[in-house]
Amino acid sequence: PVTGVEAGALPLCPAPEQALGRHVSELLGTAIYERFLPVAEQLFRGESVRWEGWVDYPKQGRRYMQEHLLPYAPGGGAVRAVMAFGREFTELKQREASFRLLFDSNPVPMIVCGQDDERILSVHDAAVVHYGHTRPAFEKLTIRRLQATESALQWAGHPSTPEPAGRTGERV
């Protein structure tokens, strides 16, 4: 699950590469420190920074992080600390990758469409081959237009049912 927002202040020493009395590479590891240098320059100019991506921590391993870093400069003077607000999305990103692999490698033609506007959002290779449309052509269609001969959407189910009905292995 997604962890809650973690926040903290990182007090800086007189040198930008120092934090908590130690070199930042000791705290974060050399690879992260080298990625952090351009960010540190922005922070010391008084700019806030937002970023997200995969980080390989020395102890915790590979994590997907989303962070917002804010410089703290009391009275408009020199930056004295960095306020860091972050969230970890590692498990969510791993689940997304798992579902993406299941979707992309499935031999049964699959189409993802918007529930409200029925616009086709994504198709995989088996659907392209099965229906004979290119991906750009699919993007211009709705699921109803693809099923022009059907009067009701087979996958939609009855409006009072909590889960949509679906069919597998049939051309929809």
Side-chain angles (χ1 to χ4, degrees):
V2 174
T3 60
V5 173
E6 294 183 24
L10 182 60
L12 302 174
C13 296
E17 59 276 341
Q18 296 284 316
L20 303 173
R22 295 171 43 200
H23 197 272
V24 175
S25 65
E26 290 178 54
L27 298 170
L28 300 176
T30 306
I32 297 173
Y33 168 70
E34 289 173 359
R35 283 179 52 193
F36 179 73
L37 284 176
V39 172
E41 290 173 11
Q42 283 183 272
L43 292 166
F44 275 92
R45 288 193 305 262
E47 301 171 22
S48 65
V49 177
R50 286 182 186 262
W51 71 271
E52 69 177 79
W54 289 100
V55 180
D56 293 312
Y57 289 104
K59 292 181 183 175
Q60 299 97 331
R62 189 166 173 80
R63 298 278 181 242
Y64 193 90
M65 300 297 296
Q66 182 181 71
E67 291 193 349
H68 188 185
L69 306 172
L70 301 165
Y72 173 67
V79 174
R80 301 260 186 220
V82 173
M83 301 296 292
F85 300 90
R87 291 185 95 170
E88 180 184 344
F89 291 95
T90 305
E91 290 180 27
L92 177 64
K93 288 297 181 180
Q94 289 170 339
R95 280 194 310 270
E96 283 177 3
S98 174
F99 285 120
R100 173 54 63 183
L101 179 63
L102 178 65
F103 176 77
D104 288 341
S105 63
N106 199 316
V108 176
M110 296 177 70
I111 298 171
V112 176
C113 65
Q115 201 168 17
D116 297 332
D117 61 3
E118 300 172 358
R119 188 173 53 91
I120 294 176
L121 304 172
S122 184
V123 296
H124 70 320
D125 292 340
V128 169
V129 170
H130 182 78
Y131 288 102
H133 295 293
T134 63
R135 280 186 170 80
F138 269 115
E139 291 173 6
K140 296 175 184 169
L141 293 173
T142 63
I143 193 71
R144 194 173 299 274
R145 184 129 182 253
L146 189 63
Q147 301 182 294
T149 60
E150 302 282 339
S151 59
L153 295 174
Q154 295 175 357
W155 57 268
H158 189 272
S160 65
T161 59
E163 293 292 323
R167 295 187 182 184
T168 19
E170 290 187 31
R171 182 174 176 162
V172 184

